[in-house]
Structure formats: structure tokens, C-alpha cells
Amino acid sequence: MARIELKLAHAYLPNPQSDDDYALLPLDLCFADGGAYALLGPSGCGKSTMLNLISGLLAPSHGDVRFDGQVVNAQTPQQRNIAQVFQFPVIYDTMTVGQNLAFPLKNRGWDAARTRKRVGEIAEMLGLSASLNQRAAGLSADQKQIISLGRGLVRPDVSAVLFDEPLTVIDPHLKWQLRRMLKQIHHELKLTLIYVTHDQVEALTFADEVVGMSRGRAVQVGTPEALFERPAHTFVGHFIGSPGMNFLPVRSDGQHIEVAGERLDGGRRLPVGDLTLGVRPEYLSLLPSGGDGLGAQVTRVQDVGTYGLISCTVGAHSVKVRVSPDQALPGVGDSVRLDVVNAHSCYYQNEELLP
């Protein structure tokens, strides 16, 4: 395992002239030895590019990749001692499940007894023990991908195991089991795991730290709780959560804010000017009619079972509120008051969180 540091930018064009020409804008990241990380963001944000720079499938156009302080820009994935699991299964159909799992170890000269012991440990963790002698050719795509996961995890001496959206072909009913297995495997084996996904549930349940990515930038690095509670960028607030964070444009005079024609106490000292107020649906509540808060009009009411979801309009903007299932729900067309300024509210300027 290794401490992996990235101080780089990457462009596929030979002479990048603007930010739009970069697949990855300048970043400075460190992945600690033995940590579990997720690179989270939509398609095209630079997640797979970053993973391929770590593995050695790409060399950075600017800057360095360092493993334990050593620059490895010119090293191959084999020289970096990287294991990588891709979106689709990479296994040998002519081999049995056990032979596929053992292949990376045999290539490194492990003896039969040691190989058998390690294969047995990984097979048990992934629920493959009963099929070790079965030919891989007759297995389903999701079963083959589980073998691919095992091949990535079987070597205990790797610098890191990299996962590029590895649950793409997995049956939805199995995904939660595999996420739980990977979390357990990380705790037991203490491997450095870096996991690329666009699925927030996968990222937040798997990783100790999440790298939120947007348009080639790493906009926030932190624990799942930090990204949910205090999104450092409006993109993170929007992308994480179901539904995502509500955002309202406001005008600040330093202490008060004006939003949708109403004047409210901002709850803290603020810079003067145009800001964005962000508050999650979970942290909004309905206030008594005629009380404090911000006026809104109910446009939709949904009973989701575990909670109620109320959609409102505040001026020209949509706001969603999550309420407990035992709370009385308003009707469509009702006027309500919302406590948009509370202990969980966040303020943003130019999309960045104000301290």
C-alpha cells in the first residue's frame, strides 16, 4: 500500500488555452495509506481521468503523481503495483472461479498452499466459496464481475485497488450486498481503495472520504457527513441528497437578507451583496400560519411512506420540504411559512460556501 499524492492538471489537447480545454483542472490531493475513497460526480467530470492517472494508464500533462513521495509519472501500472477493476468483467472464461482468483498470485510466484489460503479468504468474503471449481464461462455478468472484484482484492501487497464504476453490470438487488461486502473487506484487509462512481449512495456508504467532482475540479474532499451537512460548493449540495439542497438567491445588507420580496434576519454577519441561501429539505419545517419564516405556496404533496415530501414555490423558485410521516400535510394551493434560516442553513458566494 502507498500514500498517493496528486499535484497535477491534465489536458488531452496539446496546447490547452482555457479551463474548458482541461479534463482535470489543477488539483492537490492526497490519498492516505489504507484509506477508502470515492470519486463522485456526473459523467465527464474527470473521475476516470483521475483514476487512470493514478494507475499509470495516463501520464499527467502537467505536474506529478507520487507514491510514498516518489514521482511515478513514467511508471506503468505494473511498476506502480496497482490493481484495477473496470466497469465490465475482465476474467478468463476458460478458467474456474478459483483459478481466476489465483491468477494474479501465481503470476507473482506464490506457492500453492499460500495461494489456496488467500483465494479461500477472498472467496469467503465475496460469497464465492461454493463455486470455486465452477467454470467461469457459464456464469452471469454480475457473477463474473464479482470475480473481477475478487481478482482486484486478492493481492495483499498492492499500492492501491482502483474501482471504475464496478457495479455497473451488477443486478440492483445485489448492489447493496456488495457495497456492504466492500466496506467489510476494507475494514479487514486495510487496503487503499479508490472507487469511482456517479451514484451518491455507493459513494456515501463505501467511502471514509469522498472527493466531489464537477467540470474537471475537485470541489470538496471530506467525510460523507461533511459533504451532506456543509457542502463546500453548490454543486455538492445539489448532487448529494434525495432530493438535493434547496437554493434561493438572496440580497444581503450585512445582517438581513431579502428573498422573494421578503426581509428576513440572516442569522449571522454576511457580506453585502448577492448571495445564495442553501438549505436541505430535511432541515426545513413548516411554521404556523402568519408566523416568522418565508412565505411559500404548496404545489405538490407526496406521501413517500417513510416521509412526506412537499413541493413549494417561493417567488419563481422551487423548494422541497421533507417532513415526518406522522405530520399533517398541507394541501395543494395552501400558503405556508418555511424556516429557511436555521442552524443548518448555508450561504454561498460565486458557488463557494462562505465560512
Side-chain angles (χ1 to χ4, degrees), residues 44-281:
C45 71
K47 306 185 301 295
S48 293
T49 296
M50 187 186 296
L51 205 71
N52 291 335
L53 289 167
I54 294 171
S55 72
L57 293 175
L58 281 176
S61 58
H62 304 79
D64 295 320
V65 179
R66 294 174 182 265
F67 281 30
D68 290 331
Q70 178 187 358
V71 175
V72 296
N73 290 15
Q75 290 187 2
T76 65
Q78 183 177 6
Q79 291 170 323
R80 297 184 192 192
N81 201 18
I82 288 290
Q84 191 159 359
V85 181
F86 297 94
Q87 291 184 21
F88 302 101
V90 180
I91 65 171
Y92 297 102
D93 281 345
T94 56
M95 294 183 180
T96 66
V97 172
Q99 289 168 339
N100 267 285
L101 294 177
F103 190 75
L105 304 179
K106 291 183 68 175
N107 278 350
R108 282 154 184 81
W110 282 41
D111 62 62
R114 189 181 176 205
T115 297
R116 189 163 49 249
K117 182 176 182 294
R118 181 64 176 182
V119 166
E121 292 171 350
I122 297 299
E124 183 176 356
M125 290 178 179
L126 291 173
L128 295 172
S129 298
S131 57
L132 284 175
N133 295 321
Q134 185 174 351
R135 288 280 292 273
L139 300 177
S140 65
D142 52 359
Q143 290 173 315
K144 290 181 179 180
Q145 185 66 336
I146 294 172
I147 300 171
S148 289
L149 291 172
R151 282 165 53 93
L153 295 165
V154 73
R155 290 165 51 200
D157 61 338
V158 292
S159 298
V161 184
L162 311 183
F163 300 96
D164 194 351
E165 305 208 43
L167 303 187
T168 299
V169 300
I170 299 294
D171 184 280
H173 297 294
L174 294 177
K175 284 187 177 183
W176 71 271
Q177 297 179 26
L178 285 174
R179 288 196 296 263
R180 184 186 63 184
M181 286 179 186
L182 286 174
K183 189 79 171 178
Q184 178 184 351
I185 288 169
H186 175 254
H187 286 158
E188 292 185 14
L189 303 183
K190 305 301 181 185
L191 296 170
T192 303
L193 307 181
I194 304 176
Y195 189 107
V196 162
T197 181
H198 63 271
D199 185 325
Q200 60 168 302
V201 175
E202 287 184 18
L204 301 183
T205 56
F206 165 79
D208 298 326
E209 287 208 334
V210 177
V211 181
M213 299 190 64
S214 174
R215 302 192 300 271
R217 292 180 57 210
V219 293
Q220 185 173 5
V221 182
T223 64
E225 293 78 13
L227 270 68
F228 184 84
E229 295 289 341
R230 302 290 294 173
H233 192 278
T234 54
F235 165 78
V236 177
H238 169 76
F239 197 77
I240 291 179
S242 182
M245 180 176 264
N246 297 301
F247 293 106
L248 291 168
V250 303
R251 179 76 180 174
S252 165
D253 63 10
Q255 182 60 52
H256 295 87
I257 57 172
E258 182 179 328
V259 50
E262 296 193 44
R263 191 168 185 263
L264 304 174
D265 190 322
R268 49 172 283 195
R269 292 296 303 174
L270 294 166
V272 175
D274 293 326
L275 306 173
T276 299
L277 171 65
V279 60
R280 291 202 176 276

Side-chain angles (χ1 to χ4, degrees), residues 300-305 307-311 320 323 329:
R300 189 180 185 190
V301 177
Q302 298 167 269
D303 184 352
V304 185
Y307 61 88
L309 185 62
I310 303 167
S311 300
K320 296 187 183 298
V323 298
L329 300 178

